[in-house]
Amino acid sequence: MAAELDTVLFEMAVRTASTLPTSFSEKVTDIAARTAGRLAFDVRVEGDYRFQRIAGIRYGGDIGILALSKDGQSVDSCRVNGALASFIEPLESWNGLSLPAQAQTDILGHTSLLVAALRNAGNLPNRSAG
């Protein structure tokens, strides 16, 4: 029951933040603050037909995922448990690096793998909106 309530609160915070005239990163930070989560990662997605950025907010063993559409007009979101940990961990580790270390570390492959895993699990749309 508590996990379901947490998911509802996360989705409400996403809907509220989506209406704000702020950047995706500011929206993610706002959602994390409103829901007592911790920013796990916020990265660019290269070469995807639908998304330009993806971010994760850590809630204990769960992660709230937000994906910004290519046109910047919409945000898809979901909440996942530890089943996708092997895809999330490299991005979370990268986020903890210093800026110079981040600049020297390529995570594009990890980002693409996470987006594919989220789609395969039914958490993100599989087809282009167009």
Side-chain angles (χ1 to χ4, degrees), residues 6-130:
D6 290 342
T7 299
V8 169
L9 292 174
F10 172 72
E11 292 297 330
M12 287 174 58
V14 170
R15 280 194 302 276
T16 300
S18 293
T19 64
L20 299 174
T22 58
S23 71
F24 178 70
S25 294
E26 290 170 319
K27 286 176 177 39
V28 171
T29 301
D30 181 64
I31 293 165
R34 287 177 188 243
T35 58
R38 177 185 55 81
L39 178 67
F41 60 88
D42 179 359
V43 295
R44 185 178 54 237
V45 177
E46 291 290 331
D48 190 75
Y49 64 89
R50 184 170 181 129
F51 300 111
Q52 64 171 292
R53 294 196 71 78
I54 190 165
I57 301 172
R58 168 72 60 191
Y59 301 100
D62 291 347
I63 293 267
I65 300 287
L66 299 108
L68 180 65
S69 65
K70 276 278 194 210
D71 64 7
Q73 299 300 307
S74 65
V75 174
D76 285 303
S77 64
C78 62
R79 208 162 143 151
V80 298
N81 58 23
L84 299 178
S86 63
F87 297 101
I88 292 168
E89 193 279 328
L91 300 177
E92 205 166 3
S93 294
W94 175 85
N95 192 64
L97 297 174
S98 66
L99 287 178
Q102 284 180 349
Q104 295 176 358
T105 305
D106 182 13
I107 56 153
L108 295 177
H110 294 294
T111 303
S112 295
L113 288 172
L114 175 59
V115 171
L118 287 163
R119 283 188 173 121
N120 289 338
N123 293 308
L124 290 179
N126 252 336
R127 303 211 185 273
S128 175

